[in-house]
Amino acid sequence: MKTPYWLLEEALLEQNLKTLAHIKKQTGVKILLALKGYALWKSFPLVSQYLDGCCASGLHEAKLSHEHFTKETHTYSPAFKEEEIKEIAQISHHLVFNSPSQFQRFGALAKKHNPKLSLGLRVNPEYSEAPVELYNPCGLYSRLGTTIENFDRLLKSEIGKRIEGFHFHALCEQDSLALDNVLKAFEEKFGNYLKDLKWVNFGGGHHITRKGYDTERLIKILNDFKCRHPHLEVYLEPGEAVGWETGTLVTSVLDIVHNGLDIAILDTSAEAQMPDTIIMPYRAEVRGADVAHKKAYTYRLAGNTCLAGDIMGDYSFDKPLQIGDKIIFEDQMHYTMVKATTFNGVPLPSIVIKRVDGTLEVVREFGYEDFRDRLS
């Protein structure tokens, strides 16, 4: 099979989904797929057997949920456009506004187009333990969510009348202890209003399917919250936890050059196809490799673009690399396909699914036209 390609393993995906289904069964909460983190819709027939719907970040994700997941669609955006509100409202079940001004501008219009639509507001608990400031929704000067100061001043009278739910999001790849602490801040600031609401969305960033995650504490946190507020429907919307460790990016060595160290140039790109390795940053694991100099042969793995910093990192191997060797990057299903670009004209990886029965299905290949047509 020609490289590069993403390889999703359905059996691993189903393991994650069963873990999430266990949370649902023990707590009665609903769990949505966050499309911003995982949007491989060819796998939705499996995912939709376990989850309750999708959370979308705008019109296009809402349409994907509506057309291919066909369960609940919850749509939130930092700012909606007037020309998109009608269509978003018609295909959504929950519509969450980021600010009082957006709610006041579009709330009534959205309900006009869909009287059954439930309106909500994203609130900022002003507390987070996010490990990287770039991914901290509650950081200093954050634009995401309404603070209690702005909420009190403008929207008190809307609670229970037009605002039916709160949404907050403050986690990033974190355990249930972080949620516990965020939830305390949320209830301290906004708890007085919960009695008049119908639902609360705890957002994403819950690393539920990671090895070592304290699932039992999460179950207790959720059940305790529901005991305090038995009238509220509770939602979680993990994206990364769905796709966590369910597949790889398979690449090939195109050339090996030497400039102070051996550098293997691959037929992929960190900048274009593994952007979080540069942005976050984090080090992607490579199958069969270790940290630099731990094994006999060390190479810098680099992308095939003109960006000088298009580098995956330094890795060591048991044997010397050869042109044509396969390099397999682990855990590349979440926040990869949804962020990938064709920078420098580098072709997008194909998408391959290893079905539960072991068969391999190439569900999408990309070519020149995909690069050309997005710029036409």
Side-chain angles (χ1 to χ4, degrees), residues 175-249:
D175 208 321
S176 49
L177 177 59
L179 172 63
D180 201 10
N181 293 332
V182 169
L183 194 56
K184 290 173 184 175
F186 165 72
E187 289 192 84
E188 180 181 335
K189 288 185 170 64
F190 296 97
N192 290 337
Y193 304 105
L194 297 181
K195 65 182 184 300
D196 297 315
L197 297 179
K198 294 182 178 179
W199 54 266
V200 173
N201 188 321
F202 286 13
H206 314 276
H207 226 186
I208 298 168
T209 55
R210 187 195 68 220
K211 293 179 180 67
Y213 182 92
D214 194 340
T215 303
E216 293 309 308
R217 180 165 55 194
L218 174 63
I219 290 171
K220 184 177 187 305
I221 290 169
L222 295 172
N223 283 331
D224 286 351
F225 181 86
K226 288 176 73 69
C227 283
R228 295 193 299 274
H229 312 284
H231 65 293
L232 289 176
E233 186 87 78
V234 176
Y235 293 87
L236 304 180
E237 49 178 48
E240 185 171 86
V242 174
W244 181 253
E245 294 186 341
T246 60
T248 59
L249 175 62

Side-chain angles (χ1 to χ4, degrees), residues 109-122:
L109 180 62
K111 288 285 282 188
K112 177 183 176 182
H113 293 302
N114 181 1
K116 295 182 179 180
L117 185 65
S118 184
L119 301 184
L121 182 74
R122 176 166 175 170

Side-chain angles (χ1 to χ4, degrees), residues 48-317:
S48 63
Q49 294 178 36
Y50 293 90
L51 303 189
D52 298 288
C54 299
C55 58
S57 301
L59 175 59
H60 289 176
E61 286 187 354
K63 291 177 72 171
L64 186 68
S65 171
H66 178 70
E67 293 174 1
H68 294 285
F69 208 93
T70 65
K71 295 178 84 171
E72 293 187 36
T73 297
H74 297 215
T75 308
Y76 157 83
S77 175
F80 291 105
K81 291 184 174 181
E82 184 171 3
E83 61 266 28
E84 295 178 349
I85 279 292
K86 177 181 178 180
E87 187 172 4
I88 289 173
Q90 289 173 335
I91 61 177
S92 297
H93 297 78
H94 287 190
L95 185 60
V96 179
F97 295 101
N98 185 65
S99 69
S101 61
Q102 281 266 301
F103 175 83
Q104 291 164 339
R105 184 180 177 191
F106 295 130
L109 180 62
K111 288 285 282 188
K112 177 183 176 182
H113 293 302
N114 181 1
K116 295 182 179 180
L117 185 65
S118 184
L119 301 184
L121 182 74
R122 176 166 175 170
V123 297
N124 181 354
E126 300 177 78
Y127 177 88
S128 175
E129 299 174 10
V132 178
E133 193 60 23
L134 180 66
Y135 293 91
N136 184 357
C138 301
L140 187 64
Y141 309 127
S142 174
R143 76 193 190 284
L144 302 174
T146 300
T147 62
I148 189 65
E149 178 183 1
N150 289 327
F151 173 81
D152 278 346
R153 185 162 52 90
L154 294 171
L155 288 179
K156 276 184 180 179
S157 63
E158 301 291 351
I159 293 296
K161 296 178 182 177
R162 291 199 294 164
I163 295 178
E164 296 183 340
F166 281 163
H167 173 288
F168 69 86
H169 174 64
L171 303 184
C172 175
E173 295 187 352
Q174 289 174 287
D175 208 321
S176 49
L177 177 59
L179 172 63
D180 201 10
N181 293 332
V182 169
L183 194 56
K184 290 173 184 175
F186 165 72
E187 289 192 84
E188 180 181 335
K189 288 185 170 64
F190 296 97
N192 290 337
Y193 304 105
L194 297 181
K195 65 182 184 300
D196 297 315
L197 297 179
K198 294 182 178 179
W199 54 266
V200 173
N201 188 321
F202 286 13
H206 314 276
H207 226 186
I208 298 168
T209 55
R210 187 195 68 220
K211 293 179 180 67
Y213 182 92
D214 194 340
T215 303
E216 293 309 308
R217 180 165 55 194
L218 174 63
I219 290 171
K220 184 177 187 305
I221 290 169
L222 295 172
N223 283 331
D224 286 351
F225 181 86
K226 288 176 73 69
C227 283
R228 295 193 299 274
H229 312 284
H231 65 293
L232 289 176
E233 186 87 78
V234 176
Y235 293 87
L236 304 180
E237 49 178 48
E240 185 171 86
V242 174
W244 181 253
E245 294 186 341
T246 60
T248 59
L249 175 62
V250 183
T251 71
S252 296
V253 177
L254 297 181
D255 197 12
I256 299 173
V257 299
H258 186 86
N259 184 4
L261 77 168
D262 290 325
I263 304 167
I265 301 175
L266 309 181
D267 60 352
T268 189
S269 163
E271 164 71 11
Q273 293 158 11
M274 306 166 64
D276 277 356
T277 61
I278 295 176
I279 298 170
M280 193 162 190
Y282 82 98
R283 174 187 171 88
E285 296 297 321
V286 171
R287 186 170 299 178
D290 210 322
V291 297
H293 310 297
K294 184 74 175 291
K295 295 189 174 188
Y297 302 92
T298 292
Y299 296 84
R300 175 162 293 174
L301 302 183
N304 194 23
T305 72
C306 66
L307 178 70
D310 193 353
I311 295 168
M312 293 80 170
D314 296 347
Y315 298 81
S316 62
F317 298 82

